[in-house]
Tab-separated table of all heavy atoms in Angstrom:
chain	number	residue	atom	x	y	z
A	8	ARG	N	106.797	55.737	46.845
A	8	ARG	CA	107.446	56.414	47.985
A	8	ARG	C	108.394	55.450	48.689
A	8	ARG	O	109.504	55.832	49.082
A	8	ARG	CB	106.364	56.911	48.947
A	8	ARG	CG	106.863	57.788	50.072
A	8	ARG	CD	105.686	58.415	50.803
A	8	ARG	NE	106.126	59.245	51.921
A	8	ARG	CZ	106.227	58.810	53.174
A	8	ARG	NH1	105.925	57.547	53.461
A	8	ARG	NH2	106.631	59.614	54.129
A	29	GLY	N	91.976	44.969	51.678
A	29	GLY	CA	91.510	43.595	51.756
A	29	GLY	C	90.148	43.444	52.407
A	29	GLY	O	89.471	42.434	52.220
A	98	GLY	N	80.076	33.528	43.588
A	98	GLY	CA	80.647	34.107	42.380
A	98	GLY	C	81.147	33.059	41.414
A	98	GLY	O	80.965	33.174	40.196
A	119	GLU	N	71.320	32.586	36.020
A	119	GLU	CA	70.604	31.329	35.859
A	119	GLU	C	71.500	30.129	36.139
A	119	GLU	O	71.025	29.002	36.169
A	119	GLU	CB	70.031	31.238	34.447
A	119	GLU	CG	68.912	32.231	34.172
A	119	GLU	CD	67.745	32.077	35.147
A	119	GLU	OE1	67.366	30.927	35.448
A	119	GLU	OE2	67.238	33.100	35.631
A	123	LEU	N	67.387	25.735	39.550
A	123	LEU	CA	66.293	25.532	40.499
A	123	LEU	C	66.678	24.574	41.608
A	123	LEU	O	66.365	24.786	42.779
A	123	LEU	CB	65.064	25.001	39.747
A	123	LEU	CG	63.820	24.731	40.585
A	123	LEU	CD1	63.360	26.007	41.280
A	123	LEU	CD2	62.705	24.172	39.720
A	150	HIS	N	79.449	22.784	43.611
A	150	HIS	CA	78.748	22.660	42.334
A	150	HIS	C	79.562	23.273	41.202
A	150	HIS	O	79.628	22.724	40.091
A	150	HIS	CB	77.374	23.333	42.426
A	150	HIS	CG	76.307	22.466	42.985
A	150	HIS	ND1	75.280	21.959	42.226
A	150	HIS	CD2	76.099	21.988	44.238
A	150	HIS	CE1	74.489	21.227	42.973
A	150	HIS	NE2	74.962	21.227	44.208
A	173	VAL	N	87.562	41.672	30.894
A	173	VAL	CA	87.905	42.601	31.972
A	173	VAL	C	88.790	43.736	31.447
A	173	VAL	O	88.756	44.855	31.975
A	173	VAL	CB	88.585	41.852	33.141
A	173	VAL	CG1	90.037	41.553	32.844
A	173	VAL	CG2	88.466	42.646	34.437
A	239	ALA	N	89.473	37.926	37.399
A	239	ALA	CA	88.539	37.760	36.287
A	239	ALA	C	88.614	36.350	35.721
A	239	ALA	O	87.581	35.737	35.406
A	239	ALA	CB	88.833	38.780	35.195
A	240	THR	N	89.811	35.809	35.596
A	240	THR	CA	89.985	34.483	35.005
A	240	THR	C	89.306	33.404	35.842
A	240	THR	O	88.722	32.455	35.300
A	240	THR	CB	91.483	34.170	34.864
A	240	THR	OG1	92.085	35.149	34.020
A	240	THR	CG2	91.690	32.802	34.256
A	271	ARG	N	108.700	68.820	24.427
A	271	ARG	CA	108.321	70.026	23.697
A	271	ARG	C	108.993	71.262	24.292
A	271	ARG	O	109.453	72.152	23.585
A	271	ARG	CB	106.805	70.185	23.712
A	271	ARG	CG	106.056	69.136	22.890
A	271	ARG	CD	104.593	69.468	22.802
A	271	ARG	NE	104.398	70.777	22.149
A	271	ARG	CZ	103.211	71.341	21.997
A	271	ARG	NH1	102.120	70.739	22.455
A	271	ARG	NH2	103.102	72.527	21.409
A	277	GLY	N	113.119	75.600	26.850
A	277	GLY	CA	112.822	75.570	28.281
A	277	GLY	C	113.322	74.282	28.904
A	277	GLY	O	114.117	73.542	28.332
A	316	LEU	N	109.832	31.445	25.374
A	316	LEU	CA	108.642	32.257	25.598
A	316	LEU	C	107.754	32.279	24.356
A	316	LEU	O	106.527	32.169	24.447
A	316	LEU	CB	109.052	33.678	25.984
A	316	LEU	CG	107.912	34.654	26.286
A	316	LEU	CD1	107.101	34.170	27.473
A	316	LEU	CD2	108.473	36.061	26.565
A	318	ALA	N	107.597	29.956	22.059
A	318	ALA	CA	106.983	28.639	21.915
A	318	ALA	C	105.787	28.478	22.849
A	318	ALA	O	104.734	27.949	22.458
A	318	ALA	CB	108.026	27.555	22.195
A	341	PRO	N	65.281	14.136	29.835
A	341	PRO	CA	64.586	13.756	31.066
A	341	PRO	C	63.934	12.391	30.920
A	341	PRO	O	63.486	12.006	29.830
A	341	PRO	CB	63.548	14.873	31.239
A	341	PRO	CG	63.378	15.468	29.886
A	341	PRO	CD	64.700	15.340	29.212
A	378	ASP	N	46.081	21.322	39.624
A	378	ASP	CA	47.307	20.993	38.894
A	378	ASP	C	48.181	20.050	39.695
A	378	ASP	O	48.777	19.104	39.154
A	378	ASP	CB	48.082	22.266	38.566
A	378	ASP	CG	47.399	23.113	37.506
A	378	ASP	OD1	46.535	22.565	36.788
A	378	ASP	OD2	47.710	24.314	37.404
A	386	LEU	N	54.503	11.101	39.849
A	386	LEU	CA	55.670	11.315	40.698
A	386	LEU	C	56.003	10.095	41.533
A	386	LEU	O	55.119	9.268	41.829
A	386	LEU	CB	55.421	12.500	41.631
A	386	LEU	CG	55.255	13.863	40.956
A	386	LEU	CD1	54.723	14.881	41.954
A	386	LEU	CD2	56.579	14.336	40.383
A	404	TYR	N	43.966	26.025	54.869
A	404	TYR	CA	44.130	27.456	55.109
A	404	TYR	C	43.732	28.351	53.937
A	404	TYR	O	43.430	29.525	54.142
A	404	TYR	CB	45.592	27.767	55.464
A	404	TYR	CG	46.035	27.156	56.769
A	404	TYR	CD1	46.919	26.088	56.805
A	404	TYR	CD2	45.562	27.649	57.989
A	404	TYR	CE1	47.343	25.529	57.998
A	404	TYR	CE2	45.974	27.097	59.194
A	404	TYR	CZ	46.867	26.037	59.195
A	404	TYR	OH	47.260	25.492	60.393
A	407	PRO	N	38.500	28.145	49.310
A	407	PRO	CA	37.451	29.178	49.380
A	407	PRO	C	36.545	29.054	50.596
A	407	PRO	O	36.066	30.052	51.130
A	407	PRO	CB	36.680	28.973	48.075
A	407	PRO	CG	37.672	28.344	47.138
A	407	PRO	CD	38.520	27.458	47.993
A	419	LYS	N	53.759	27.921	62.973
A	419	LYS	CA	55.073	27.814	62.340
A	419	LYS	C	55.331	26.400	61.831
A	419	LYS	O	55.946	26.211	60.773
A	419	LYS	CB	56.163	28.218	63.331
A	419	LYS	CG	57.569	28.230	62.745
A	419	LYS	CD	58.578	28.708	63.760
A	419	LYS	CE	59.981	28.817	63.134
A	419	LYS	NZ	60.450	27.516	62.611
A	426	THR	N	56.480	24.717	53.260
A	426	THR	CA	57.633	25.304	52.579
A	426	THR	C	58.625	24.224	52.173
A	426	THR	O	59.122	24.196	51.040
A	426	THR	CB	58.325	26.335	53.485
A	426	THR	OG1	57.391	27.357	53.829
A	426	THR	CG2	59.512	26.965	52.778
A	441	ARG	N	66.598	18.675	33.935
A	441	ARG	CA	67.633	19.645	33.554
A	441	ARG	C	67.524	19.957	32.069
A	441	ARG	O	67.237	19.116	31.275
A	441	ARG	CB	69.028	19.098	33.850
A	441	ARG	CG	69.294	18.991	35.346
A	441	ARG	CD	70.743	18.562	35.566
A	441	ARG	NE	71.033	18.435	36.985
A	441	ARG	CZ	71.411	19.414	37.765
A	441	ARG	NH1	71.524	20.623	37.239
A	441	ARG	NH2	71.670	19.238	39.027
Side-chain angles (χ1 to χ4, degrees):
R8 188 170 179 266
E119 292 302 318
L123 180 59
H150 275 251
V173 78
T240 300
R271 291 188 61 183
L316 181 62
D378 289 342
L386 295 168
Y404 295 109
K419 184 177 184 300
T426 301
R441 291 185 181 274

